[in-house]
């Protein structure tokens, strides 16, 4: 009778074991899924935040660069006009005064120039631009000293002329170009950049005006209030203003309308104050994009769980246990691989905007393999900033960071979109230039040196001179890997240093 019951007992025991194994498997799988999804969401949010802050900070670097370019261009225009006035010194004072006034009154762009002409003998104001407020020569000259960005001055006998382009005019030009640039930018995740100009840092009604908003262009020019609330009762403008006042930048979340949609969703936002314009430049991404991704992953995991459950019921206990172990290991491996893939997407150095060493190494390997398959001319540059440690030790790391950013920006202006600039470590950078001829390397390096020496960097009011030491080489037929070319470029760099720095060497 026991024999007859034995199969039944075995079946029941197998069922109990299978059910136990299934329960353990499902429970552990649920926990693994929970941990995986939690960690994945954290990594995605971290990458989203990096993307937001990097994009805003890159825009701020573009604004600074544009302002410098405008200032230099208008100073050149002012100098040219001054030379033209000097050419008329041979005429009488009356004729010179008439010529001076005609040059400004007849200008097509009346807002461009701000100018005065004074008779110093009679203390008479002979000409003044309409938008000047002063009534006397002393008042007008003082006003000019405070408002002009570029300045020229001429003297003819008792006549003194002062003219130039005002800071306000140049800043308005920059603001218009930046606003147009922001409106034309497109991002794959329906993100966008917007700008609010602060009028009152104490907050309240009409504390700011909306300057740029691609999602709500019809609201540009409207006033904002820190008392405004979103659907959840948050006061995002108040939180944003307080955050940038305390730290200069701020991450926060609130509920807002999606781009090209009437749907309202939670949005994580990065805002940074650009104090020169009283601009708060911000960018955000809706959190439900992250949730949508994790929900898709959840669906995939649930499907795998159901499929594995049927398989486990059909096999022996040993196979079930092996399958459970395999699934757990596979799940963890997938989690690690996905996290690694997400982290590898961070390919830009936050401070300088150059490629990270990890991304740069991949590009070097790719370009070297292309060179092996189809030999061409690919140049490699190794460069570092002369006596950068002394700069950090003497002037502080803030100045050192400014040097790194401006040097990188200068080099970026000299290279093409197909070229690569990599922050290799500290103040050392690697450049890769597909298609560049070897005979142009020294001339190219010297042009970079000239641009870097032109950089305007100050510390405590004193100008700081920055120079580079550079080494160049080419991918060559005997190279076994890109590292062989890097070693030659490094040797060329040290040759430049041995020659006294601020040199270009080619090997």
């Amino acid at each position: 009778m026991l024999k007859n019951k034995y199969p039944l007992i075995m079946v029941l025991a197998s069922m109990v074991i299978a059910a136990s194994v299934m329960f353990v498997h499902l429970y552990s799988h649920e926990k693994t899924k929970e941990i995986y999804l939690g960690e994945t969401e954290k990594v995605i949010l971290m990458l989203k935040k990096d993307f937001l802050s990097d994009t805003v900070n890159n825009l701020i670097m573009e604004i600074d660069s544009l302002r410098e370019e405008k200032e230099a261009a208008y100073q050149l225009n002012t100098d040219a006009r001054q030379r033209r006035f000097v050419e008329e010194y041979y005429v009488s004072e009356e004729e010179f005064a008439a010529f001076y006034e005609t040059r400004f009154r007849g200008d097509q762009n009346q807002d461009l120039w701000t100018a005065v002409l004074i008779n110093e003998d009679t203390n008479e104001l002979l000409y003044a631009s309409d938008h000047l407020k002063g009534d006397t020569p002393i008042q007008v000259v003082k006003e000019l000293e405070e408002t002009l960005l570029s300045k020229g001055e001429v003297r003819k006998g008792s006549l003194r002329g002062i003219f130039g382009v005002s800071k306000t005019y140049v800043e308005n030009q920059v603001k218009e170009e930046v606003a147009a640039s922001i409106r034309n930018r497109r991002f794959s995740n329906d993100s966008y950049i917007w700008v609010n100009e602060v009028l009152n840092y104490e907050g309240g009604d009409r504390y700011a005006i909306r300057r740029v908003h691609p999602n709500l262009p019809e609201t540009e020019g409207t006033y904002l209030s820190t008392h405004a609330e979103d659907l959840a009762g948050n006061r995002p403008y108040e939180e944003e203003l307080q955050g940038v006042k305390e730290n200069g930048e701020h991450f926060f979340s609130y509920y807002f309308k999606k781009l090209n949609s009437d749907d309202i969703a939670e949005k994580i936002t990065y805002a940074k104050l650009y104090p020169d314009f009283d601009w708060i430049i911000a960018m955000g991404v809706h959190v439900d994009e992250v949730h949508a991704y994790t929900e898709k992953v959840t669906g995939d995991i649930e499907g795998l769980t159901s499929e594995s459950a049927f398989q486990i019921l059909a096999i022996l206990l040993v196979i079930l246990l092996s399958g459970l172990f395999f699934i757990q290991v596979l799940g963890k491996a997938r989690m690690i691989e996905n996290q690694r893939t997400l982290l590898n997407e961070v390919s830009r150095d936050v401070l300088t905007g150059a490629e990270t060493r990890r991304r740069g190494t991949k590009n070097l390997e790719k370009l070297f393999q292309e060179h092996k398959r189809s030999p061409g001319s690919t140049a490699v540059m190794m460069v570092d900033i002369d006596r950068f440690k002394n700069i950090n030790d003497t002037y502080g790391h803030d100045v050192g960071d400014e040097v790194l950013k401006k040097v990188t920006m200068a080099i970026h202006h000299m290279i093409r979109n197909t070229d690569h600039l990599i922050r290799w470590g500290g103040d050392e950078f690697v450049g890769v230039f597909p298609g560049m001829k070897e005979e142009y390397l020294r001339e190219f390096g010297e042009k970079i040196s000239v641009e870097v020496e032109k950089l305007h960097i100050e510390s405590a009011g004193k100008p700081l001179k920055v120079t580079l030491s550079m080494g160049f080489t080419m991918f060559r037929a005997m190279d076994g890997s890109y590292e062989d070319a890097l070693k030659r470029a490094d040797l060329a760099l040290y040759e430049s240093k041995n020659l006294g720095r601020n040199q270009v060497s080619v090997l």
Side-chain angles (χ1 to χ4, degrees):
M1 188 170 180
L2 185 59
K3 284 185 178 181
N4 293 334
K5 292 183 177 180
Y6 184 75
L8 179 60
I9 294 173
M10 290 296 295
V11 170
L12 291 175
S14 298
M15 291 176 63
V16 170
I17 293 171
S20 300
V21 171
M22 179 62 70
F23 173 78
V24 172
H25 167 68
L26 292 176
Y27 178 79
S28 63
H29 197 281
E30 187 67 25
K31 288 296 180 183
T32 301
K33 181 186 74 175
E34 182 180 325
I35 294 171
Y36 169 72
L37 293 176
E39 292 300 316
T40 299
E41 188 162 324
K42 287 180 183 178
V43 171
I44 294 174
L45 284 173
M46 180 189 70
L47 293 174
K48 293 288 187 184
K49 286 184 175 182
D50 287 344
F51 166 71
L52 296 176
S53 62
D54 287 350
T55 304
V56 170
N57 282 297
N58 285 340
L59 176 61
I60 287 174
M61 286 194 292
E62 291 177 23
I63 295 174
D64 288 337
S65 177
L66 181 59
R67 291 176 70 188
E68 291 175 3
E69 291 173 5
K70 292 283 186 185
E71 180 177 353
Y74 283 120
Q75 186 59 56
L76 288 174
N77 288 343
T78 302
D79 294 341
R81 179 156 289 203
Q82 181 174 5
R83 289 192 295 271
R84 181 67 186 91
F85 284 134
V86 171
E87 292 173 358
E88 297 295 319
Y89 277 1
Y90 68 91
V91 302
S92 67
E93 289 189 13
E94 291 77 9
E95 290 173 322
F96 184 83
F99 176 75
Y100 187 92
E101 182 175 349
T102 301
R103 286 290 289 175
F104 289 111
R105 286 201 185 279
D107 201 290
Q108 291 182 346
N109 187 351
Q110 288 292 314
D111 295 329
L112 173 61
W113 296 101
T114 301
V116 298
L117 184 64
I118 301 166
N119 187 317
E120 294 187 316
D121 288 347
T122 63
N123 198 32
E124 182 182 359
L125 191 61
L126 301 178
Y127 171 76
S129 296
D130 294 338
H131 49 271
L132 288 172
K133 299 176 181 178
D135 296 323
T136 67
I138 293 177
Q139 292 174 339
V140 171
V141 169
K142 182 179 179 181
E143 186 178 348
L144 283 177
E145 294 291 344
E146 294 174 351
T147 60
L148 290 185
L149 182 68
S150 68
K151 179 184 174 184
E153 184 169 348
V154 291
R155 291 180 180 272
K156 166 65 178 174
S158 62
L159 303 180
R160 180 189 180 193
I162 304 173
F163 60 93
V165 181
S166 70
K167 298 175 186 176
T168 301
Y169 179 85
V170 175
E171 288 186 355
N172 287 340
Q173 291 286 309
V174 171
K175 288 177 181 179
E176 290 178 8
E177 291 187 25
V178 171
S181 172
I182 291 173
R183 295 186 188 100
N184 291 328
R185 295 180 187 226
R186 297 293 180 269
F187 300 94
S188 60
N189 55 2
D190 287 338
S191 294
Y192 53 90
I193 300 171
W194 65 93
V195 177
N196 298 329
E197 182 176 335
V198 180
L199 305 177
N200 180 5
Y201 282 93
E202 298 305 315
D205 294 332
R206 300 167 73 93
Y207 88 98
I209 187 169
R210 179 170 285 161
R211 289 300 181 193
V212 185
H213 203 294
N215 189 17
L216 299 171
E218 69 279 4
T219 67
E220 292 180 359
T222 60
Y223 291 99
L224 305 175
S225 171
T226 53
H227 303 308
E229 296 183 353
D230 65 6
L231 293 178
N234 303 311
R235 292 186 172 184
Y237 295 130
E238 182 177 58
E239 181 180 353
E240 176 187 75
L241 180 62
Q242 189 64 30
V244 299
K245 280 170 59 179
E246 292 177 359
N247 306 308
E249 58 185 356
H250 188 57
F251 275 106
F252 63 103
S253 62
Y254 63 103
Y255 288 84
F256 199 77
K257 187 174 81 72
K258 287 187 172 183
L259 181 65
N260 301 322
S261 170
D262 293 327
D263 294 339
I264 305 295
E266 184 181 4
K267 191 170 192 175
I268 185 168
T269 297
Y270 172 76
K272 186 164 185 175
L273 179 66
Y274 189 68
D276 289 0
F277 291 173
D278 292 315
W279 275 10
I280 296 177
I281 303 174
M283 186 178 187
V285 62
H286 287 286
V287 177
D288 59 2
E289 294 180 6
V290 178
H291 297 330
Y293 177 79
T294 54
E295 286 174 4
K296 178 181 181 301
V297 174
T298 300
D300 294 341
I301 294 176
E302 292 295 344
L304 291 173
T305 303
S306 300
E307 184 179 346
S308 63
F310 285 111
Q311 293 174 350
I312 292 173
L313 289 174
I315 58 178
L316 298 173
L317 177 61
V318 176
I319 300 176
L320 287 172
L321 293 173
S322 300
L324 173 61
F325 176 77
F326 174 76
I327 291 173
Q328 290 175 330
V329 171
L330 179 61
K332 291 180 181 179
R334 284 179 178 174
M335 178 177 69
I336 293 170
E337 181 61 28
N338 286 341
Q339 289 177 344
R340 184 182 295 114
T341 300
L342 290 170
L343 290 172
N344 284 341
E345 293 178 4
V346 184
S347 61
R348 288 283 173 187
D349 178 59
V350 175
L351 176 63
T352 65
E355 295 179 10
T356 60
R357 183 163 179 166
R358 177 182 294 178
R359 175 66 177 273
T361 300
K362 290 181 178 179
N363 286 330
L364 275 166
E365 178 63 30
K366 178 183 176 182
L367 290 169
F368 183 76
Q369 293 303 324
E370 291 176 357
H371 172 77
K372 281 296 191 182
R373 289 193 298 271
S374 179
S377 57
T378 299
V380 178
M381 172 186 74
M382 185 78 77
V383 57
D384 72 7
I385 301 170
D386 293 331
R387 298 182 175 88
F388 183 73
K389 184 177 184 302
N390 290 342
I391 293 174
N392 271 335
D393 293 344
T394 305
Y395 302 102
H397 288 281
D398 288 344
V399 175
D401 288 348
E402 183 183 1
V403 169
L404 286 171
K405 288 190 286 187
K406 289 196 172 181
V407 167
T408 307
M409 191 181 303
I411 297 176
H412 269 138
H413 287 163
M414 297 289 296
I415 64 178
R416 305 160 299 179
N417 293 334
T418 54
D419 298 331
H420 300 270
L421 182 63
I422 307 159
R423 189 176 182 186
W424 204 248
D427 64 316
E428 190 171 51
F429 293 83
V430 169
V432 192
F433 312 104
M436 180 171 286
K437 302 295 184 181
E438 185 170 2
E439 56 265 29
Y440 298 133
L441 293 183
R442 187 176 300 277
E443 178 184 355
F444 176 62
E446 289 171 352
K447 287 182 178 179
I448 292 176
S449 293
V450 170
E451 289 303 311
V452 170
E453 289 184 37
K454 291 179 182 177
L455 292 177
H456 180 71
I457 302 173
E458 290 187 354
S459 177
K462 297 180 179 179
L464 177 64
K465 182 178 180 181
V466 179
T467 61
L468 303 179
S469 292
M470 285 179 277
F472 283 89
T473 190
M474 306 288 294
F475 281 159
R476 304 206 186 276
M478 72 277 196
D479 289 339
S481 71
Y482 69 85
E483 292 177 347
D484 293 333
L486 278 182
K487 289 176 183 177
R488 281 197 307 278
D490 196 34
L491 289 173
L493 170 62
Y494 276 97
E495 180 178 316
S496 294
K497 287 183 175 293
N498 289 334
L499 291 172
R501 296 184 172 86
N502 193 20
Q503 300 288 330
V504 178
S505 299
V506 180
L507 288 181

